[in-house]
Amino acid sequence: MNWDAIGAVAELLAALGVIVSLVYLAGQVRGSLNQSRQAAIQSLVNQMNNVWTQVAADRSHADIWVRGSRGVANLPDETDGVRFSAFMLSIFRPYEELFYYRRDGIVDDWTWESIGSQCHALMGTPGFSDWWSKRGSWFSSAFQEHIQETLEALPDYQRWSK
């Protein structure tokens, strides 16, 4: 074998080494990206769970939720109305983010179904209708369409007292 052939084989092996390295790095980046996405989703789920923990731990939060869910008219104190609105926003803003993650194929079916069923139950309340009519514009148009489609297919909200 002459030096030109040896040089060509060496260049070929070096090129293959670069290709293998790039494939390996792409796999590492993809794995890291998936972990980052899952961490973001878990953070959103935790945010929503923290809201429910506050309702369970504080009677005044639960009272505002119960009265507000029956209709915003049941919250004549403006401060309670603001607190109810903040409660709804703290649930539906993460839900909107999950909606986009779902649309992009990032959220697992079980996560979407679990969170969706909670949000759908809230959407079946008169208080949500009142709140959404005033604050729905705070959300993206695609999410507003999703909410409208969901509302058209929702059963009535089932209260604990029934």
Side-chain angles (χ1 to χ4, degrees):
M1 206 185 254
N2 66 29
W3 286 109
D4 289 335
I6 291 172
V9 169
E11 285 182 29
L12 178 64
L13 290 175
L16 286 174
V18 168
I19 291 170
V20 168
S21 295
L22 289 175
V23 169
Y24 173 77
L25 287 174
Q28 293 296 97
V29 168
R30 187 177 304 119
S32 177
L33 183 59
N34 285 338
Q35 287 178 343
S36 296
R37 288 175 176 169
Q38 289 304 316
I41 291 166
Q42 187 60 49
S43 175
L44 293 173
V45 170
N46 288 342
Q47 287 175 28
M48 295 174 84
N49 287 339
N50 288 339
V51 171
W52 288 115
T53 299
Q54 290 175 5
V55 170
D58 186 330
R59 187 170 186 85
S60 70
H61 282 81
D63 177 62
I64 289 169
W65 159 245
V66 168
R67 288 185 295 124
S69 68
R70 290 187 171 142
V72 175
N74 292 303
L75 299 168
D77 180 347
E78 187 174 7
T79 302
D80 287 348
V82 169
R83 290 176 74 190
F84 180 75
S85 184
F87 169 82
M88 297 302 276
L89 188 61
S90 67
I91 292 292
F92 285 92
R93 183 64 71 201
Y95 182 53
E96 179 182 32
E97 289 183 55
L98 285 172
F99 165 77
Y100 282 104
Y101 285 153
R102 172 66 174 179
R103 193 175 74 170
D104 294 342
I106 298 169
V107 174
D108 296 329
D109 288 343
W110 72 268
T111 303
W112 179 248
E113 290 172 11
S114 175
I115 298 300
S117 65
Q118 291 175 35
C119 291
H120 296 171
L122 298 178
M123 290 163 46
T125 66
F128 175 83
S129 295
D130 294 346
W131 176 77
W132 187 254
S133 69
K134 292 180 181 181
R135 301 296 181 244
S137 63
W138 289 1
F139 297 86
S140 68
S141 58
F143 185 67
Q144 289 178 41
E145 289 174 21
H146 165 71
I147 295 293
Q148 187 57 42
E149 291 169 4
T150 304
L151 287 171
E152 291 170 4
L154 278 180
D156 289 335
Y157 179 70
Q158 299 298 309
R159 295 200 163 276
W160 283 104
S161 60
K162 286 187 177 182

